[in-house]
Amino acid sequence: RRSMNVSAKKAYNREELQQFKEILLVMRMEALNDLRDLQESAESSGGNKESTQPYNLDSSFRERSLDATTREQNAFLMSRQSKLLGYLDAALKRIDEGKYGICITCRGLIEKGRLEIVPHTQLCIACKTGWKR
């Protein structure tokens, strides 16, 4: 008798889950490509140069500082992409297990719009922001 809305709905249907899976797979491929590009950049810019030659008398302090900063940024971005890949893989696993789209805090259904924007999230907006449902 009651119309099915997000608050009454307990889980996403097969078609919706397939749409989320496709979004996650595209994001995963992009993250893998980004990580590969970062790794290639680190290797081509002499990511291991520091260990074999920690100090080059011919390079200026500014050049050495920029090189170090670039390596640090690259390492940070690679770490971030690796973490994102872990989140995406976990979300894909939740789809396979039938647990996708359920908030880990309140056990309610995560809003579809939120999942379309952050498909690897495990929290509904209310729980993420601390609001009561």
Side-chain angles (χ1 to χ4, degrees):
R1 296 175 212 253
R2 194 169 156 200
S3 69
M4 191 82 134
N5 61 24
V6 173
S7 60
K9 192 173 179 177
K10 299 288 184 200
Y12 289 105
N13 65 38
R14 195 175 301 200
E15 293 80 25
E16 291 168 318
L17 290 174
Q18 184 58 38
Q19 289 173 342
F20 290 127
K21 188 172 190 171
E22 289 170 12
I23 292 169
L24 287 160
L25 289 171
V26 168
M27 286 182 72
R28 187 177 190 284
M29 183 60 67
E30 290 171 353
L32 279 170
N33 288 337
D34 290 346
L35 183 58
R36 186 194 65 239
D37 291 346
L38 287 165
Q39 288 169 334
E40 288 174 2
S41 173
E43 290 169 9
S44 69
S45 67
N48 295 330
K49 184 172 26 173
E50 191 173 53
S51 62
T52 59
Q53 191 173 6
Y55 187 75
N56 182 348
L57 294 175
D58 294 335
S59 64
S60 71
F61 173 77
R62 184 168 194 256
E63 287 172 341
R64 289 190 314 273
S65 295
L66 288 173
D67 286 346
T69 300
T70 300
R71 280 192 304 274
E72 288 174 17
Q73 288 173 339
N74 234 12
F76 170 77
L77 292 172
M78 285 190 291
S79 172
R80 190 168 137 188
Q81 287 305 100
S82 294
K83 189 181 286 191
L84 175 60
L85 282 167
Y87 294 150
L88 296 171
D89 287 342
L92 288 165
K93 184 177 179 184
R94 288 193 301 278
I95 287 176
D96 292 341
E97 294 172 345
K99 299 176 183 177
Y100 182 81
I102 308 299
C103 178
I104 59 171
T105 301
C106 70
R107 299 288 179 218
L109 196 63
I110 299 171
E111 301 81 3
K112 190 172 187 175
R114 174 158 171 72
L115 288 171
E116 289 170 346
I117 296 168
V118 188
H120 53 279
T121 190
Q122 296 186 70
L123 295 171
C124 68
I125 290 285
C127 292
K128 176 74 176 176
T129 59
W131 296 339
K132 302 268 183 197
R133 263 195 170 177

